[in-house]
Amino acid sequence: GLLEHIVPGETGFVVGDDAELVQAVRRLRDEPELRQRVGAAGREFVRTRYTLAQAARSYRDLYGMSP
């Protein structure tokens, strides 16, 4: 699920309603250092966990294929 991929305040934000979404967007708008840090952490999270090799392993495991 989505929550296993987001570390709140580090790699993104999890919001429960419109008001929380507005608050998160305003915070990112108003805090450039936070915006930079969260963006960089999110990119690094994806870059290190979603490689072509990892995708191939996932499909291989899903379909029960040997390496």
Side-chain angles (χ1 to χ4, degrees), residues 29-66:
R29 177 196 67 195
D30 295 341
E31 298 180 38
E33 290 176 6
L34 174 67
R35 187 172 57 243
Q36 286 279 132
R37 184 171 44 81
V38 169
R43 283 188 298 278
E44 182 65 12
F45 182 91
V46 170
R47 188 186 70 75
T48 59
R49 285 170 180 78
Y50 299 100
T51 64
L52 182 57
Q54 178 59 40
R57 277 191 300 274
S58 294
Y59 280 113
R60 188 178 60 232
D61 293 346
L62 177 66
Y63 292 108
M65 301 163 64
S66 59

Side-chain angles (χ1 to χ4, degrees), residues 12-33:
F13 294 92
V14 177
V15 298
D17 59 31
D18 293 348
E20 289 179 6
L21 176 60
V22 169
Q23 182 181 17
V25 170
R26 284 182 177 159
R27 187 170 173 208
L28 289 169
R29 177 196 67 195
D30 295 341
E31 298 180 38
E33 290 176 6

